[in-house]
Amino acid sequence: MSRRSGILEFAVLGLLREAPMHGYELRKRLNTSLGVFRAFSYGTLYPCLKTLVANGWLIEEPGSAPEDALAASLAGRRAKIVYRLTAEGKEHFEELLSHTGPDTWEDEHFAARFAFFGQTEREVRMRVLEGRRSRLEERLEKMRASLARTRERLDDYTLELQRHGMESVEREVRWLNELIESERAGRDQRQPSAESSAQQDNTSGETGGLPRHKGAEPSGGTPLKGSIPPDPSDDTAK
């Protein structure tokens, strides 16, 4: 499985965990909610759906509106197929959510993971955020070293492009620092209340969102829920 197809499968499972959808709805959600998939096509989505069905993680159902099925039949078209997450699919998605390996720190995969942070355990979110920050700090160090070596050979426009790429990475590092501090603050705030209520209820989890205070929103002011992290211009680091 390629990295991009793996990200797509993860995103499809996550969206279908929220509600069953047909292909068009899925494609629209992937385009609007997860900006990393703006350029993909139906030719990419439907093979992915077929694979997930074959693995037993999704099932196909006919559209629920009788009039839609009748209209499709009269027009000689197939009724829309709705895709629903199975119990095995939900379990598989939860396993993917718990994964915090290096691939979760890369640009495309991190954007998809971040979109589902509301369904992710707090400790997993922290590991992914800290891993992403570490990866960007390494990238930034290489960019600075490369710029120092080649500065004298670059024209003004190429030099400005290099600086722009560095500023983009620096901006995301600052954003990640704010998110990490907010996660830590939220964890610290919940510890006293969790300890006091432990004797009454041992089933409470830590899957809630970030606290709504300074650092809980990206620097651009966009609400955290459903947002997509900054997209660093990192071509010069490759």
Side-chain angles (χ1 to χ4, degrees):
M1 179 192 303
S2 70
R3 174 180 295 178
R4 187 167 180 80
S5 64
I7 298 170
L8 179 58
E9 290 184 6
F10 171 83
V12 167
L13 292 172
L15 290 175
L16 291 177
R17 189 184 185 188
E18 300 173 1
M21 302 180 202
H22 54 71
Y24 175 78
E25 291 174 313
L26 269 172
R27 185 172 186 267
K28 185 176 180 181
R29 287 292 306 277
L30 289 165
N31 282 335
T32 57
S33 300
L34 305 177
V36 67
F37 296 107
R38 288 193 184 101
F40 91 108
S41 65
Y42 281 109
T44 304
L45 176 60
Y46 282 104
C48 172
L49 290 170
K50 294 299 182 183
T51 298
L52 296 176
V53 170
N55 288 338
W57 297 330
L58 302 182
I59 57 174
E60 296 176 330
E61 299 176 339
S64 58
E67 60 273 17
D68 291 345
L70 177 60
S73 176
L74 292 174
R77 294 182 286 105
R78 293 178 57 189
K80 290 181 179 178
I81 295 175
V82 172
Y83 296 90
R84 181 185 300 272
L85 195 67
T86 64
E88 292 80 5
K90 181 179 180 181
E91 182 179 350
H92 179 62
F93 179 67
E94 289 172 352
E95 291 176 358
L96 295 176
L97 278 180
S98 67
H99 178 60
T100 59
D103 58 318
T104 66
W105 311 338
E106 301 300 335
D107 295 343
E108 290 186 346
H109 205 148
F110 175 75
R113 286 300 301 267
F114 187 83
F116 294 101
F117 262 21
Q119 303 179 42
T120 306
E121 293 287 344
R122 182 179 300 277
E123 293 305 317
V124 174
R125 294 198 301 262
M126 283 290 291
R127 289 196 293 271
V128 173
L129 290 171
E130 290 173 344
R132 173 65 174 175
R133 180 176 63 180
S134 176
R135 178 58 50 83
L136 289 184
E137 287 173 342
E138 293 174 1
R139 182 182 299 172
L140 190 58
E141 183 177 352
K142 291 179 181 178
M143 294 173 74
R144 287 169 174 162
S146 175
L147 183 61
R149 291 193 305 268
T150 61
R151 180 188 299 272
E152 300 301 324
R153 301 194 299 270
L154 300 177
D155 61 61
D156 291 343
Y157 294 101
T158 304
L159 182 61
E160 192 62 29
L161 184 62
Q162 296 261 2
R163 288 173 176 167
H164 173 69
M166 288 177 53
E167 288 172 0
S168 297
V169 177
E170 290 169 344
R171 184 166 55 251
E172 184 172 350
V173 170
R174 291 194 298 270
W175 177 73
L176 289 167
N177 285 335
E178 293 176 359
L179 291 177
I180 290 169
E181 289 305 312
S182 292
E183 290 283 356
R184 288 174 177 164
R187 179 186 59 195
D188 294 342
Q189 290 171 3
R190 284 167 174 75
Q191 281 179 346
S193 60
E195 292 172 359
S196 64
S197 62
Q199 296 177 350
Q200 301 177 4
D201 185 5
N202 292 324
T203 62
S204 61
E206 289 184 319
T207 57
L210 291 173
R212 295 295 181 183
H213 54 70
K214 184 179 182 296
E217 295 183 353
S219 57
T222 304
L224 178 63
K225 184 177 180 181
S227 63
I228 298 297
D231 182 14
S233 301
D234 58 353
D235 291 341
T236 55
K238 298 180 181 178

